[in-house]
Amino acid sequence: RYAERLCMMAYERRGSDMPPQRRLLRTQTAGNLGESMMDSEVVPSSLVEIAPILRVANEVEHINARVAYLCRFYAFEKAHRLDAQSSGRGVRQFKTALLQRLQKEDETSKQERKGSDAREMRNFYQLYYRKYIEALQNAADKADRARLTKAYQTASVLFDVLKAVNRAESVELDEEIIQKHIKVSEKAEIYAPYNILPLDLESSHQPIMQNAEIQASVAALRNIRGLQWPKGHVKKTGEDILDWLQVMFGFQKDNVANQREHLILLLANVHSRQPMPDQQPKLDDRTLTEVMKKLFKNYKKWCRYHGRKSSLWLPTIQQEVQQRKLLYMGLYLLIWGEAANLRFMPECLCYIYHHMAFEMYGMLSGSISPMTGETIKPAYGGDEEAFLKKIITPIYDVIAQEAERSRNGTAKHSDWRNYDDLNEYFWSHNCFRLGWPMRVQADFFSLPIKNGADRNEDTDSPRGDGWIGKINFVETRSFLHLYRSFHRMWSFFILALQAMIVLAWNGSGNISGIFDGDVFKKVLSIFITSPILNFVQAILDVIMSWSARKSMTLHVKLRYIMKVFSSAVWVVVLPITYAYTWKNPPGIAQTIKNWFGNSAGHPSLFLVALLIYLSPNILSALLFVFPFIRRLLERSDYKIVRLIMWWSQPRLFLGRGMQESSFSVFKYTIFWVLLLAAKLAFSFYLEIKPLVGPTKQIMQVVVIKYKWHEFFPQARHNIGVVIALWAPIVI
């Protein structure tokens, strides 16, 4: 018999894994492997294909236990074909429990059958077709349609089981049953499962499909007039624009179904907000314009950033404009729906869409390719799943291999690329070197070469021929980031401390002493310290960005060099010009003047140098006070504006024009001005000024020999005591 033969075949195929004479008990398997394990919802992920069969077995069990048994045995055989070694997670336990249940049900179900298993299955199939399929043919509402859809799926499973049983018993299928199955297959394809909208032709009477907005969107999508289908294409009833895109570019069937509903609902949502003077189910042009504006906002910004025209070309014939807009939107949604992890790389999707939309424009306009002399066709063809296999998969493989190189995040940040690094490649004009179709030999697809001479057995060399590495940012782990990341804060506090000490030490010791000419000149000594701090910052920028030097563009490298050079120039120019503002300069200013000659002072020269030195800061302050101006400058794609902004920050695609409103900036500024004023007043009057008098007295005390003279062999003015006294205040 069929069941006995399959059982023996199953035992033979399992080999030593489970000998036939050994009967496994439920206590010998992990977990509770009772009848609940047969539920179609708890099937192991690797055996998901047998879930519909088990669902049918559960449904028909109360009607015919033998048919339910045969369905489960067919599911067992299919599970064994899918995973013969039981290597999947939970597969061994699942198959063991299923086999136990089959052994239990075999004897009890035999008593209820009439004739052979093949006859039992044939009679039940005919009964099910007559009772459920024919009775529900004229479905009037969504509930009946859902039942009919489920009935078609069940009938398809029953036919597969019937075919397997007849094959095992060498019985031919009746022609009547074959014809019924053909009808069921045709109807099952029409009554496919859906998310929200039943878009098959026989569901037009459903309540949701009666909405004017839905009808208008569906009618617009089904306008395929003028679209050239490939040769050999078999046209079907109800085809629309997305079906044409699927055939031409090779998108997946389920992706097309999902994005069809997505696009219809987007259009219907916007269309419902438009004033409709008539009740004709026609899609409003304003609806298409609004959806396109939101959908292609980032793509258009990306095109402007690269100085390229977008591929959204519209025809001059007004009747074709709506169809063309729907084609552009449908293509973008299909790319996004099938992009998988590439959705984390939006500019990469912009690059893909840019070329595919241009190809579509060439096909619709009948353009001739200069390379082949034929009508333009998609570079990757329209084969089944061509988009996934030929476009998405190569880029995804690069992502996977780079993630593997990270060693779960333990590798150096400069040795591997994450999503952001790969996406930033498409911020550069170099991305167009990839070409279309994309060149596999391009630097984007290059990976570091394994070097056996310079590595251990399982360690890759950090660089390889053609590997572009990081693009804009490379993290270098260092405690120097404590200064570099907060450079402006450190500079402000150091210069403020220097100015307060100068004020407290000279003149009356009050803040009003700044109006004294000599005291004010001494306060200006902070502009000797300031360029030194900027020089340190420029050097740290070069050190921290050294790992990215190979992938930097020329203008970024030039910016770093110019920063170092200009800060080094100011370190020399400002101290010299400051020294010549004094007739009798104090301290280090006299030393500088001695180096360059004791000629007459030129205070105006220092003021001119200071004005030039502070001009970038003055401009930044003005742009900070008026953020809308900076927002416009950062978002601008004009070359002259790029040149002006080049010095202040590198040009990036993201993060431009993110300033707050003027009122928010005003509140922010008032808060910090009040906070810093209170802090500096506290430091000046309660920390710095009280120490000035004692410090002067300590420095006047003469000490001929220190007890620990090894630490201060030539110390003057009790410098060790002064350092110990001021160290807590400075810190």
Side-chain angles (χ1 to χ4, degrees), residues 516-533:
D516 184 283
D518 290 341
V519 175
F520 181 72
K521 284 184 180 180
K522 292 180 180 179
V523 171
L524 290 179
S525 63
I526 62 175
F527 293 107
I528 298 177
T529 308
S530 177
I532 296 175
L533 297 176

Side-chain angles (χ1 to χ4, degrees), residues 29-88:
T29 57
N32 183 11
L33 298 177
E35 295 183 0
S36 62
M37 282 292 291
M38 299 308 106
D39 190 359
S40 59
E41 280 79 15
V42 295
V43 174
S45 58
S46 59
L47 304 179
V48 68
E49 294 182 24
I50 70 171
I53 307 173
L54 295 177
R55 178 183 59 79
V56 171
N58 294 335
E59 290 178 2
V60 304
E61 188 170 15
H62 69 284
I63 303 174
N64 192 315
R66 189 60 183 179
V67 172
Y69 168 81
L70 294 175
C71 289
R72 291 194 180 99
F73 222 112
Y74 177 69
F76 177 83
E77 270 297 292
K78 191 169 184 178
H80 198 71
R81 288 195 299 269
L82 293 172
D83 191 354
Q85 302 299 325
S86 301
S87 57

Side-chain angles (χ1 to χ4, degrees), residues 275-334:
M276 292 183 291
D278 52 12
Q279 296 299 323
Q280 297 295 328
K282 183 179 179 181
L283 199 62
D284 194 282
D285 291 336
R286 292 170 296 179
T287 299
L288 293 170
T289 302
E290 185 174 344
V291 176
M292 280 194 68
K293 183 179 179 181
K294 294 180 179 179
L295 204 59
F296 296 116
K297 180 180 179 181
N298 187 61
Y299 168 66
K300 290 182 177 179
K301 183 165 60 173
W302 180 80
C303 290
R304 289 195 301 269
Y305 179 80
H306 287 294
R308 304 225 170 192
K309 293 182 179 180
S310 71
S311 298
L312 304 176
W313 300 87
L314 296 177
T316 55
I317 303 176
Q318 187 62 29
Q319 289 78 4
E320 297 180 1
V321 171
Q322 186 178 89
Q323 183 192 69
R324 188 67 58 86
K325 289 182 178 179
L326 288 172
L327 283 168
Y328 284 134
M329 290 189 287
L331 178 62
Y332 184 84
L333 290 177
L334 289 174

Side-chain angles (χ1 to χ4, degrees), residues 397-398 401-402 405 417 443 445-449 464-467:
D397 289 341
V398 174
Q401 293 172 15
E402 291 288 354
R405 289 183 50 77
R417 296 176 292 176
D443 52 2
F445 296 103
S446 299
L447 292 173
I449 299 175
D465 294 339
W467 191 69

Side-chain angles (χ1 to χ4, degrees), residues 33 83 157 247 282 356 422 435 437 484 529 539-540 634 688:
L33 298 177
D83 191 354
V157 173
V247 172
K282 183 179 179 181
M356 293 183 69
L422 293 168
R484 179 173 180 255
T529 308
I539 294 296
L540 287 178
E634 289 186 358
I688 296 175

Side-chain angles (χ1 to χ4, degrees), residues 249 335 348-360 371 377-381 387 390-392 395 426 431-439:
F249 292 100
I335 292 173
C348 176
L349 294 185
C350 289
Y351 179 84
I352 295 173
Y353 179 79
H354 182 74
H355 291 280
M356 293 183 69
F358 185 75
E359 285 180 338
M360 186 177 68
M371 303 293 294
K377 297 179 181 179
Y380 290 98
F387 177 76
K390 299 179 181 179
I391 299 178
I392 299 300
I395 301 177
F426 297 93
C431 69
F432 292 98
R433 296 179 183 175
L434 278 175
W436 194 264
M438 294 181 290
R439 296 182 299 105

